[in-house]
Amino acid sequence: MPSKQPEFRRYLVPIDSLSTQQFFTDCLVIGSGIAGLRAAIEAAGCGASVTLVCKGTLADSNTWNAQGGIAAVVRNEDSIESHIADTMATGAGLCEPEVVRQVVSEGPALIRELLDWGTEFDKTNGILDATLEGGHSHPRVIHSHGDSTGRGIAEGLLRKLRSMPQIRILEHFFAIDLLTNDDNECLGVIGHRAGNSLQIIWAARTILATGGAGRLYRETTNPENATGDGLAMAYRAGAVLRDLEFMQFHPTTLYIAGASRALITETLRGEGAILRDRDGNAFMKDYHPDAELAPRDVVSRAILDRMLKTNSTHVYLDIRHFDKEHFRKRFPVISELCESFDIDISREMIPVRPSAHYLIGGVKVDRNAASNIANLYVCGEAASTGLHGANRLGSNSLLEGLVYGRIAGRHAAEGLKRPRTYLRPKRIEFQIAHSDRSHLDTDDVRNSLRALMWRNVGITRRETPLVEAQEIIRFWQRYVMDKVFDTPFGWECQNMLTLALLMARAAEERKESRGVHFRQDYPAPDNDRFLKHIELSR
Ligand code: SIN
């Protein structure tokens, strides 16, 4: 049946499943970050045939770009209880205690597994190096090749994955929509492979590991493909989304007007970097006793305040006191980045400002990584497991991706029957009525949306701009959601509008400040009304 309300359309494209090219797999994994890779390895290890698809190359993920590290208890002087307590304290009342215990406790063994699979974590005298980040009471952020941690982990996982013949990898496959039946069961995905027409992958189990949505903001550390597609398609399929108001902003992104933004890892502050305003004042002590190592939301707001007070577009990160040779070895990615902009770190400070970094919210899952849609599992940044609460402790996300990737892979592969009679094509037909409404320039809509989200649903929020943002997004939706696109660029724009509206709505609904969500009009937490999650579904 064609839908009368285009913004609520079930599928973005018309479907005639029986005349569409089709593939079959036990487990379909969508996404190639740490969670997707770990899930694929686990599912294949449990005997399932696995197809892993990603919309770019295997390297186009937030994981690949992660610098600082992965948090885990690896030192004798540290403890599981301490890591749990830090995670819970940072999460501002909304962490799920059992999930926190599960992730933190399983971390060390999974790090050992990564070492076995070839990830070279940095060591001194045979002992893992560990650094501090804000909110951690012990150095427990371990790293690989200095600030190439994500890449080091992904390469190790890929080596393992490529040694497993039952895993097939399809790059440049854009997953458009999850296919579901009337019994609320996920049947696989309809997507588009570069150079081909639409394709259906029927899967007994689908694992969504599509990452985050930093690209909904003008300023972000995220790669270009982080447009929230997984969350938007899960929403269309009827999944419950949760905690979408909690977008974490990273305090220090390289700011050079005109240049693309790049993360400047928090571990620099963990190792002594100082934030200074344009007049050279170290200002963080004025905002929090932990100064540079205060929680990220505090540092981001402090920087914003300082930028306003000094009438400046950015502040500076001062590492002039670092040993230059040590810096080059310990932070090779940032070192190269600075050199590429002729910043001599022994004489000059690095211009930085906050930007959108990590979406804490996502598809609500249980402790088996299962969503409310049968056969659909979600892990990594796309999931809301309850680990982070209202504020994520730095470097806990790679850990969560690893732990919940394994859990998703294991549970998805459970109970698959032989012979695989469940893998038969099903009839799904969906038509979309032609719309005579005007066309908008999707490039312009995307850019305007990113500016709107930054302005109205950014680091600090207020009622009127949040309401206004929803009105504007709804207006764009009328002209974009009614169209049928045939390229990822168009589908991404539809997904961005879908998710942005939900994020603005959740931010409006939470009339208090908690964790990374700061409302200027409600600057304090309101435990009586809001010590709870905000859930949204169709
Ligand atoms: C960083 O290196 O500062 C980012 C790490 C994270 O977001 O967990």
Side-chain angles (χ1 to χ4, degrees):
M1 279 278 289
S3 163
K4 289 216 171 67
Q5 289 173 290
E7 48 278 42
F8 294 118
R9 214 158 74 192
R10 168 64 187 89
Y11 295 108
L12 293 184
V13 289
I15 300 175
D16 176 2
S17 65
L18 297 185
S19 60
T20 306
Q21 193 182 12
Q22 22 209 305
F23 301 92
F24 302 87
T25 189
D26 289 337
C27 280
L28 169 67
V29 178
I30 309 174
S32 64
I34 187 169
L37 296 177
R38 188 62 189 80
I41 291 169
E42 191 70 15
C46 294
S49 70
V50 176
T51 301
L52 182 142
V53 299
C54 54
K55 75 172 179 175
T57 69
L58 288 169
D60 294 329
S61 69
N62 260 325
T63 294
W64 195 272
N65 295 319
Q67 295 177 355
I70 179 163
V73 176
V74 294
R75 294 274 181 86
N76 289 339
E77 58 277 21
D78 196 2
S79 69
I80 297 291
E81 294 310 318
S82 164
H83 192 177
I84 290 173
D86 292 345
T87 302
M88 299 283 294
T90 302
L94 288 187
C95 295
E96 313 264 335
E98 306 80 28
V99 173
V100 176
R101 180 164 294 281
Q102 174 186 33
V103 172
V104 169
S105 311
E106 292 182 16
L110 293 188
I111 296 291
R112 280 196 293 281
E113 193 180 61
L114 286 181
L115 283 161
D116 291 343
W117 292 346
T119 297
E120 293 168 343
F121 286 112
D122 300 327
K123 293 179 182 169
T124 304
N125 300 328
I127 296 174
L128 287 171
D129 293 337
T131 297
L132 264 182
E133 275 185 359
H136 288 279
S137 46
H138 289 279
R140 59 170 78 99
V141 178
I142 60 172
H143 41 86
S144 173
H145 297 280
D147 52 5
S148 302
T149 307
R151 181 177 176 159
I153 293 173
E155 284 179 338
L157 288 171
L158 278 170
R159 266 194 299 279
K160 174 74 183 164
L161 189 132
R162 288 199 169 106
S163 74
M164 305 178 91
Q166 62 276 51
I167 303 180
R168 179 172 56 158
I169 298 170
L170 297 180
E171 290 179 303
H172 302 290
F173 181 99
F174 188 93
I176 302 169
D177 264 309
L178 297 165
L179 300 171
T180 49
N181 62 16
D182 292 343
D183 296 329
N184 196 33
E185 292 171 331
C186 184
L187 307 171
V189 77
I190 182 158
H192 175 269
R193 186 129 179 248
N196 291 280
S197 51
L198 296 183
Q199 300 183 336
I200 287 177
I201 303 179
W202 300 107
R205 308 282 153 77
T206 299
I207 301 175
L208 204 58
T210 43
R215 281 277 152 177
L216 266 59
Y217 286 83
R218 194 188 71 203
E219 309 287 330
T220 180
T221 59
N222 288 193
E224 278 189 13
N225 60 8
T227 47
D229 307 304
L231 299 194
M233 75 176 149
Y235 178 74
R236 283 192 293 278
V240 175
L241 269 49
R242 173 169 89 162
D243 292 346
L244 295 182
E245 66 278 29
F246 297 126
M247 168 57 85
Q248 184 173 58
F249 294 85
H250 196 290
T252 55
T253 313
L254 179 70
Y255 180 73
I256 294 177
S260 65
R261 306 291 178 252
L263 176 69
I264 304 288
T265 176
E266 180 165 340
T267 49
L268 271 176
R269 280 177 281 132
E271 298 192 18
I274 298 163
L275 282 163
R276 295 189 188 278
D277 63 20
R278 69 189 297 173
D279 304 319
N281 299 314
F283 57 86
M284 272 314 302
K285 274 271 182 247
D286 301 344
Y287 293 88
H288 196 279
D290 292 338
E292 271 72 13
L293 288 182
R296 280 183 189 174
D297 59 302
V298 176
V299 183
S300 289
R301 284 199 301 279
I303 292 175
L304 215 59
D305 187 55
R306 212 55 177 198
M307 281 162 49
L308 268 177
K309 284 190 172 131
T310 58
N311 195 21
S312 177
T313 53
H314 55 277
V315 296
Y316 293 94
L317 198 61
D318 185 1
I319 52 169
R320 289 173 297 179
H321 50 293
F322 278 30
D323 176 85
K324 207 169 168 176
E325 273 322 297
H326 171 73
F327 173 70
R328 224 180 239 139
K329 281 204 197 92
R330 171 71 183 87
F331 299 101
V333 172
I334 297 175
S335 178
E336 208 173 285
L337 185 70
C338 290
E339 275 169 26
S340 73
F341 287 106
D342 293 327
I343 299 170
D344 176 353
I345 60 109
S346 56
R347 290 188 303 107
E348 292 163 273
M349 299 188 287
I350 306 173
V352 291
R353 62 186 277 171
S355 73
H357 182 57
Y358 186 90
L359 183 56
I360 289 171
V363 180
K364 180 183 174 186
V365 292
D366 65 15
R367 289 187 58 197
N368 296 337
S371 72
N372 61 309
I373 299 177
N375 302 329
L376 178 67
Y377 296 79
V378 191
C379 51
E381 192 173 347
S384 170
T385 63
L387 171 71
H388 308 304
N391 197 355
R392 180 181 66 98
L393 198 56
S395 296
N396 262 2
S397 46
L398 285 180
L399 181 68
E400 184 198 40
L402 200 57
V403 172
Y404 264 83
R406 190 186 75 83
I407 292 171
R410 173 144 302 224
H411 287 277
E414 256 173 16
L416 291 172
K417 297 191 188 78
R418 296 286 185 270
R420 298 152 79 225
T421 46
Y422 48 84
L423 288 177
R424 288 202 191 104
K426 282 95 190 163
R427 179 177 289 278
I428 296 182
E429 286 182 4
F430 184 75
Q431 298 155 25
I432 297 176
H434 173 75
S435 166
D436 289 327
R437 276 194 205 138
S438 313
H439 280 262
L440 293 185
D441 176 348
T442 40
D443 199 15
D444 197 27
V445 171
R446 287 167 70 123
N447 287 335
S448 305
L449 175 69
R450 297 180 65 201
L452 177 73
M453 290 296 282
W454 182 248
R455 254 189 347 260
N456 290 33
V457 196
I459 298 171
T460 60
R461 297 146 177 210
R462 279 182 302 116
E463 187 80 6
T464 309
L466 288 170
V467 171
E468 182 197 58
Q470 292 171 72
E471 284 165 6
I472 296 173
I473 295 167
R474 277 201 195 93
F475 175 79
W476 286 328
Q477 283 193 335
R478 290 185 59 206
Y479 297 93
V480 175
M481 302 308 287
D482 63 335
K483 305 293 180 303
V484 176
F485 292 96
D486 56 7
T487 63
F489 199 76
W491 298 317
E492 278 178 354
C493 185
Q494 292 177 312
N495 288 334
M496 289 165 80
L497 288 171
T498 301
L499 185 57
L501 184 63
L502 297 174
M503 288 166 70
R505 194 170 127 196
E508 186 211 335
E509 229 169 87
R510 187 171 285 282
K511 296 183 196 315
E512 63 152 5
S513 291
R514 183 180 300 275
V516 298
H517 171 73
F518 186 79
R519 291 278 303 246
Q520 283 172 325
D521 42 0
Y522 300 96
D526 180 348
N527 284 342
D528 291 338
R529 292 170 66 211
F530 288 107
L531 194 57
K532 62 173 189 187
H533 299 278
I534 292 177
E535 298 185 354
L536 298 173
S537 60
R538 270 163 71 98

